[in-house]
Amino acid sequence: MATMRRPNGIANNKFSAPFPSRTPTAPANSRRKPPPSRLTTLVSPPELLLLVTYPALLVLGSLFSLLEPSARNAPYSATSQSHPPEFAPNYFALKRNVFNQWFVKVAWFWFTVAWAVWVGVGVGMVKKIKGSGRERIVEIDEDEMGDSNGGEGLILTPQRLRSVVRWAAVTLWWMLVTQWCFGPALIDRGFRLTGGACELVRDDAARAEMGDVKQFLTAATCKVAGGQWKGGHDISGHVFILVLGSAAVGMEVLGALVKIKLESEDGGEGLGKWGWGVVLGVVGMSWWMLLMTAAYFHTWFEKFSGLLTAFFGITVVYLLPRLSSQARDILGIPGQ
């Protein structure tokens, strides 16, 4: 004769019901992930590692110049902000070294090439679509989009457009600091405001014969005229441009890599070996030359001010939009 089973949840005796189960039950809210910190909301771990690299390189290079005997004992010229050529402790301590002449002196060209390769050739440009009740990130099929638009060439996606706006903003900051700011660049203006001047206008008689415009010479114009730029605080232009350009390229790349994994049909990386070679080669060379600049050129304060000036531009263009919806509508965020 079959016996009837008690429904689940009914105790076998009258004393078992009041007692709670021995199996601990975690509260519903205990399994929730803790909210992200303010820092991780502002900067992802890869981006934080990128930004920390720059002060680390400056400290490492500066310590090398103090601890390495040949660099420590070599005379240093505050006027030229380098070691005299005849006493240079290393090939990279010479201003005329090929890497300084053909990379650092035209660094913004190389940074723009690296950025253009990433934005134009790489598949790091992604788009948002909605599916299954939530947003997911998918890779743009360049061939399909080209066919659908009835032609070949690059497609101006919203991600590309915002990347162009960001690069234009970074380029504008580079131009204002080093090239032109409604007259002399900010570096030259800062030098004058801190008491510096071209040596040619230090003579009272010579200064009296010049107008205000001629007295406000830039460093480049002063050198062309045969004078020397002396007396004020000179922000390290090398540190500024190397940090600003490579950090901007790095932020563009890392922002997209955080969102998707780049893969091509043959299993290789979507950007291609030559594309990664350009991007990583330019960034890697900038890090090496930043290390050499820290070791052989400029004072601590000049390098530090160059770093801060570059970080100001990176903060405004890449970090501020993460805190301000108005800025995000204009500049966007890499990878979004």
Side-chain angles (χ1 to χ4, degrees):
M1 179 177 177
T3 59
M4 296 182 63
R5 294 184 179 179
R6 298 172 185 264
N8 292 336
I10 300 178
N12 293 328
N13 56 68
K14 63 180 180 179
F15 299 105
S16 60
F19 290 96
S21 173
R22 294 183 179 180
T23 304
T25 303
N29 59 357
S30 66
R31 293 174 181 162
R32 296 177 182 174
K33 294 182 180 180
S37 65
R38 191 69 170 177
L39 180 61
T40 56
T41 302
L42 184 63
V43 186
S44 68
E47 292 170 334
L48 181 61
L49 181 62
L50 170 70
L51 296 179
V52 169
T53 299
Y54 296 102
L57 287 173
L58 291 180
V59 171
L60 182 62
S62 298
L63 290 177
F64 176 84
S65 67
L66 295 176
L67 299 177
E68 203 276 325
S70 61
R72 184 180 65 247
N73 297 327
Y76 180 84
S77 171
T79 302
S80 64
Q81 300 169 333
S82 63
H83 299 283
E86 61 272 21
F87 299 107
N90 187 287
Y91 174 74
F92 288 98
L94 296 170
K95 285 188 173 183
R96 65 173 183 271
N97 78 76
V98 65
F99 301 99
N100 186 57
Q101 295 294 322
W102 292 99
F103 181 80
V104 180
K105 295 293 185 181
V106 290
W108 206 253
F109 165 77
W110 295 112
F111 290 134
T112 302
V113 168
W115 166 80
V117 168
W118 170 254
V119 173
V121 181
V123 293
M125 297 293 98
V126 297
K127 65 179 179 179
K128 286 184 178 179
I129 65 171
K130 292 186 176 180
S132 304
R134 62 179 181 178
E135 287 185 342
R136 59 190 178 94
I137 304 297
V138 298
E139 182 178 331
I140 292 179
D141 188 337
E142 301 288 354
D143 295 332
E144 180 180 351
M145 291 190 68
D147 294 339
S148 65
N149 283 273
E152 298 180 353
L154 297 177
I155 306 302
L156 190 61
T157 63
Q159 291 74 26
R160 281 200 173 100
L161 179 60
R162 286 175 178 153
S163 182
V164 170
V165 173
R166 286 192 298 271
W167 194 256
V170 173
T171 301
L172 176 62
W173 182 237
W174 162 76
M175 184 185 71
L176 293 175
V177 173
T178 64
Q179 304 299 312
W180 175 87
C181 182
F182 304 97
L186 291 178
I187 284 183
D188 296 323
R189 290 180 182 272
F191 187 84
R192 283 294 304 264
L193 290 174
T194 54
C198 184
E199 188 182 33
L200 292 178
V201 299
R202 288 186 177 276
D203 180 71
D204 293 337
R207 188 184 303 109
E209 296 176 1
M210 293 183 178
D212 293 336
V213 176
K214 290 186 177 180
Q215 289 185 33
F216 209 155
L217 296 172
T218 65
T221 308
C222 180
K223 292 178 181 178
V224 171
Q228 291 182 330
W229 204 230
K230 290 183 176 181
H233 173 71
D234 190 17
I235 297 173
S236 174
H238 278 42
V239 171
F240 168 76
I241 190 173
L242 292 172
V243 172
L244 181 68
S246 61
V249 173
M251 294 292 283
E252 292 287 340
V253 173
L254 291 178
L257 291 182
V258 166
K259 295 296 180 183
I260 63 172
K261 180 180 180 181
L262 302 180
E263 293 181 353
S264 61
E265 293 180 357
D266 60 359
E269 295 176 337
L271 186 59
K273 292 182 179 180
W274 74 269
W276 280 115
V278 171
V279 173
L280 297 180
V282 170
V283 174
M285 178 57 70
S286 69
W287 286 2
W288 173 253
M289 293 309 296
L290 181 63
L291 183 65
M292 295 298 99
T293 299
Y296 300 117
F297 302 94
H298 292 282
T299 65
W300 278 79
F301 189 35
E302 291 168 347
K303 289 177 282 193
F304 180 69
S305 60
L307 175 69
L308 288 184
T309 307
F311 271 9
F312 176 82
I314 294 297
T315 300
V316 171
V317 176
Y318 289 98
L319 303 185
L320 181 61
R322 306 179 188 193
L323 301 176
S324 170
S325 59
Q326 291 83 359
R328 186 161 56 249
D329 291 339
I330 298 173
L331 296 171
I333 300 174
Q336 297 184 11

